[in-house]
Amino acid sequence: ILKYLRRHGGTYWDYLERPLERDRIDQLADSEKWDQVTDLCDDFNACRIEAFAQSTFLKSGTSRSLLSDMLSTLHPFFDFVSRIDSSGMFLNEDIGYIKRYFKPIMHKFIYKFGDVDREMMENLFESLQAYYGFLATRRIVDDLEFDNHQKTILKMKDE
């Protein structure tokens, strides 16, 4: 963290929201340095979740009281998606991947955890909307992709 801040300046918040190093991830993958790819992806994922959590915590209102529930929902969901992603380079902020495969991901998620009820699904949908909404406000995720993702979630709610 300190190395990044010395090189680029800014604050810890800037570090959490630093630009994705897609070229570096691809370069490491091309060199088959999978442990380093995993570490870098995990670091970006953890930073984005931490930024979301801190932002939500600093706000007042109902979303702050639900922060613990959202985090306890997002962590297992993203861990699950990471395990089923065949590329080995899953990034939580890849809303295009989530949107594209949302239906099969959800079917596998429900099958894997078996006892998923309507309330749990609602909690997951709301948590994903809050997380990607945050990323959209920070320009980490494209607004149009976020809007399309919300439409995908609404379609799944009806099923």
Side-chain angles (χ1 to χ4, degrees):
I1 297 170
L2 187 56
K3 183 178 169 183
Y4 177 87
L5 293 177
R6 282 186 178 151
R7 189 177 306 146
H8 300 280
T11 65
Y12 181 61
W13 192 265
D14 296 321
Y15 172 77
L16 294 177
E17 295 183 346
R18 71 194 183 279
L20 180 65
E21 297 176 44
R22 175 62 78 182
D23 291 340
R24 183 167 175 223
I25 292 170
D26 291 341
Q27 180 184 34
L28 290 169
D30 289 344
S31 302
E32 297 187 12
K33 296 180 180 178
W34 296 110
D35 289 343
Q36 291 178 28
V37 169
T38 300
D39 290 346
L40 192 55
C41 289
D42 288 349
D43 183 50
F44 273 101
N45 289 338
C47 286
R48 301 306 195 233
I49 289 283
E50 184 173 342
F52 167 68
Q54 286 189 25
S55 174
T56 302
F57 186 75
L58 293 173
K59 291 182 202 171
S60 59
T62 56
S63 63
R64 183 176 179 185
S65 65
L66 300 174
L67 178 59
S68 177
D69 288 342
M70 285 190 283
L71 294 175
S72 65
T73 299
L74 290 171
H75 282 292
F77 176 76
F78 285 133
D79 287 345
F80 175 77
V81 174
S82 180
R83 283 194 306 273
I84 64 172
D85 174 49
S86 61
S87 74
M89 301 185 298
F90 175 70
L91 293 157
N92 298 352
E93 67 191 67
D94 189 355
I95 194 171
Y97 179 87
I98 296 291
K99 183 194 167 301
R100 201 168 32 258
Y101 298 109
F102 193 66
K103 190 171 184 174
I105 288 170
M106 292 310 300
H107 287 163
K108 288 178 182 180
F109 187 77
I110 292 167
Y111 181 75
K112 165 87 173 157
F113 292 99
D115 61 346
V116 177
D117 61 13
R118 183 113 179 119
E119 182 180 339
M120 291 171 71
M121 293 303 295
E122 289 290 329
N123 189 18
L124 176 59
F125 293 154
E126 289 171 11
S127 298
L128 288 171
Q129 286 181 302
Y131 178 69
Y132 286 119
F134 164 76
L135 294 180
T137 64
R138 306 307 295 175
R139 301 199 189 289
I140 295 170
V141 166
D142 182 70
D143 286 333
L144 182 59
E145 283 188 302
F146 174 62
D147 291 341
N148 289 334
H149 178 67
Q150 285 187 292
K151 291 174 187 172
T152 302
I153 287 177
L154 289 173
K155 285 181 195 174
M156 277 295 291
K157 280 184 173 184
D158 295 335
E159 289 186 15

